[in-house]
Amino acid sequence: MAESYTRLVQALSDLLGADNVRAHERVARYTTWRVGGPAALLCVVHDARALARTVELVRDTSRPWLVLGRGSNVLVDDAGLDGVVIVNRAAGLAIGKAEGGRRKAEVDAGDRLPTPDSRLPPADVGVAVHAESGVLLSVLARQTAAHGLVGLEWCHDIPGSLGGAVVNNAGANGGVIADVLCAVRVLPSVGPAREMDASELFFAYRRSALRSEVAVPAGARPVVLDARFELQRGDAGQIKQRMAAQREQRKATQPGGASAGSVFKNPPTDSAGRLVESVGLKGARCGDAHISTLHANFIVTGPRAAAADVLALVVLMRRRVREQCGVDLVPEVQFVQRGGCIGPPPEDP
């Protein structure tokens, strides 16, 4: 085991550079809650080719592994991960003329994004946007808005990356990823990378076929390498005005500080935040984490918070709402266990 681990570290160092491969690095600095223990090994990738090759190297070992984007929808155990965390910083972005039709195909995991084309097509022709999975949603929104493209402006203030947004069908301000996604390129747990049409992802509210609602080994799920959208031309000034209005609305209704956004999905006919507030939990605290007094579906952490603090509040919110309102809140965030499984936070920590 020690020999195979040494070979893995050397192979990853050769691929990514020794500075991007680190032993016993705390995962907390890579999550928006700023909590989580150390990974046995953590590596940082900067393009989709390196992401694919890193996954191929790691999945051939017996060690648990996890691809982590901006860590905005996950809670990592205080014990960390007894395996490999791959931090995805693949942020390539290309904007150009849309191709006709949608094609499914097996493709080489090392394929690169097309060269960006600043010569956009006429207003009545769709514009293709190709983005690697580690690109920030805020960057994706700002860049497409700057080109006068409609369809992604809603995500300009979401602190996550594209890969997680696809997996979770992220949405805000009346828009969702499913509305404009054409296809994604994924690397399955076995076999080569392949392109999947958006229809194969079976999108629903805050979920897709790439997300599991039960705890499974993180490496069992396909890894999103990049995605393709088709957007329509609009008025850049109006798009920026909408983004500004959305930004002000978010500031007025959602807390700042270290959080992971909404903890629970909204029930079909209600709001998770309203339900948590109705059972008197606004402001409730555990350790250095508390339920926001501005929006009760947010948990905000302080500098001394632990994952156990957050988890205790998640369990409290869910139990109290079930007991007093008869509603079973479904977590939007996912919990990463030390053994490498990822899924809903446990109901009894």
Side-chain angles (χ1 to χ4, degrees):
M1 177 69 75
E3 184 178 348
S4 63
Y5 178 74
T6 301
R7 287 199 301 268
L8 175 63
V9 172
Q10 186 59 58
L12 292 172
S13 297
D14 291 344
L15 174 68
L16 306 172
D19 289 346
N20 289 314
V21 181
R22 306 155 195 169
H24 308 298
E25 176 100 348
R26 286 197 72 217
V27 182
R29 62 179 296 195
Y30 301 98
T31 72
T32 56
W33 258 323
R34 298 291 184 261
V35 297
L41 191 67
L42 182 143
C43 51
V44 183
V45 302
H46 294 282
D47 59 66
R49 182 189 293 271
L51 172 61
R53 183 58 186 141
T54 300
V55 170
E56 289 170 342
L57 287 170
V58 174
R59 74 181 183 182
D60 289 339
T61 72
S62 59
R63 290 181 172 271
W65 58 275
L66 167 76
V67 175
L68 187 66
R70 298 290 167 164
S72 60
N73 208 43
V74 296
L75 176 63
V76 178
D77 197 315
D78 289 317
L81 180 72
D82 187 23
V84 183
V85 171
I86 304 167
V87 177
N88 182 9
R89 295 292 184 262
L93 178 61
I95 299 174
K97 184 176 180 180
E99 299 176 359
R102 296 179 178 179
R103 179 178 57 85
K104 290 191 299 181
E106 285 195 351
V107 294
D108 182 350
D111 283 355
R112 291 185 179 277
L113 291 175
T115 302
D117 186 353
S118 60
R119 299 168 299 171
L120 294 181
D124 59 345
V125 177
V127 178
V129 176
H130 297 256
E132 292 182 333
S133 56
V135 70
L136 282 167
L137 292 176
S138 57
V139 172
L140 183 61
R142 288 197 301 267
Q143 289 294 321
T144 53
H147 283 84
L149 301 179
V150 177
L152 287 168
E153 61 271 20
W154 56 268
C155 67
H156 72 97
D157 52 1
I158 296 180
S161 58
L162 176 58
V166 171
V167 170
N168 297 296
N169 191 23
N173 303 309
V176 292
I177 283 288
D179 288 343
V180 287
L181 184 72
C182 292
V184 293
R185 197 163 55 98
V186 302
L187 186 61
S189 57
V190 294
R194 64 180 292 262
E195 186 172 295
M196 296 180 69
D197 189 89
S199 64
E200 297 179 80
L201 299 178
F202 299 103
F203 283 120
Y205 172 60
R206 299 299 181 266
R207 68 178 299 175
S208 75
L210 302 176
R211 175 185 165 113
S212 175
E213 297 302 328
V214 296
V216 297
R221 306 193 306 184
V223 174
V224 177
L225 300 175
D226 48 52
R228 175 166 54 86
F229 302 89
E230 185 172 329
L231 306 181
Q232 300 301 315
R233 301 296 297 276
D235 183 276
Q238 292 181 1
I239 295 170
K240 290 179 179 178
Q241 287 178 3
R242 286 198 297 272
M243 290 168 64
Q246 291 165 1
R247 187 180 303 112
E248 291 306 310
Q249 173 70 10
R250 194 176 185 93
K251 287 180 180 178
T253 59
Q254 297 182 11
S259 82
S262 296
V263 176
F264 296 101
K265 302 178 184 181
N266 286 324
T269 59
D270 211 330
S271 155
R274 190 202 70 77
L275 287 167
V276 174
E277 181 176 0
S278 75
V279 298
L281 287 179
K282 255 191 175 183
R285 177 175 291 274
C286 181
D288 203 17
H290 70 276
I291 298 171
S292 170
T293 56
L294 184 61
H295 192 312
N297 198 23
F298 282 63
I299 294 174
V300 181
T301 58
R304 294 177 299 279
D309 299 335
V310 176
L311 186 56
L313 289 174
V314 172
V315 171
L316 175 64
M317 295 159 79
R318 195 173 190 185
R319 184 178 65 240
R320 187 78 65 85
V321 169
R322 181 189 292 125
E323 291 173 350
Q324 297 189 20
C325 303
V327 177
D328 189 11
L329 292 176
V330 178
E332 188 169 326
V333 299
Q334 297 214 301
F335 181 64
V336 180
Q337 304 171 21
R338 177 170 173 76
C341 285
I342 183 170
E347 295 194 45
D348 186 13

